[in-house]
Amino acid sequence: MTDYFPAPKKFRTEDGRVIIGFDKLSLAEQHAYGYEPVPVPAPADPVPPSPEQIQAETKQAIQDMLDNKAKDYEFDSIHTAGIWRGLRPHAEDLVLWGAACWNKAGEIRAAVMAGERSMPTPEQVLAEMPEFQEAS
């Protein structure tokens, strides 16, 4: 089996001739025409997310957690539970829990801004959220 590299549709050889129309050339053909493939640079390391991106992802992760818990109690979202507060079972519990989660997120953000801790990942923040508890 011959190794093939993609070749340009048009390139000039060392002696000035132009080679046109080849889609692929074997290694032997490439060397015969004086063509040396350009080395492909290694892919750059992925750029780490900015603090703003991490904060936005964390905010969305918290909101998704709250909305999913509200859906467990047949509300469309945590906001819908707030509308039904006092009128349907568990709505009050969900609203109070949501407020406690956002307060905790605020404490974590303040600690990061004060330099007391490093920027946590969204998963680490979710692990620090208070547990939902139904009123007895």
Side-chain angles (χ1 to χ4, degrees):
M1 183 169 155
T2 307
D3 293 321
Y4 287 94
F5 286 102
K9 295 285 186 186
K10 179 178 180 179
F11 65 92
R12 190 172 300 279
T13 63
E14 288 178 12
D15 63 358
R17 291 182 296 139
V18 175
I19 307 296
I20 300 174
F22 292 102
D23 287 331
K24 294 184 177 185
L25 296 174
S26 71
L27 286 174
E29 290 169 323
Q30 290 177 32
H31 291 296
Y33 289 117
Y35 173 75
E36 292 295 328
V38 177
V40 178
D45 291 335
V47 178
S50 69
E52 292 80 15
Q53 290 171 316
I54 294 172
Q55 187 175 1
E57 290 172 11
T58 301
K59 182 178 177 182
Q60 188 61 54
I62 294 169
Q63 189 64 51
D64 290 345
M65 177 188 70
L66 297 175
D67 288 342
N68 289 334
K69 180 56 79 174
K71 288 175 184 176
D72 290 346
Y73 291 91
E74 299 183 11
F75 294 100
D76 294 332
S77 68
I78 193 75
H79 301 295
T80 305
I83 293 169
W84 288 96
R85 190 175 183 179
L87 301 172
R88 284 187 51 194
H90 309 296
E92 181 81 20
D93 302 333
L94 288 163
V95 170
L96 293 175
W97 174 64
C101 289
W102 287 117
N103 287 339
K104 181 63 178 176
E107 292 171 10
I108 293 169
R109 183 177 187 276
V112 170
M113 298 300 285
E116 297 169 2
R117 65 180 290 176
S118 61
M119 175 75 80
T121 65
E123 294 78 17
Q124 291 168 331
V125 171
L126 290 181
E128 294 184 41
M129 291 293 111
E131 295 278 332
F132 176 71
Q133 297 178 357
E134 296 179 11
S136 300

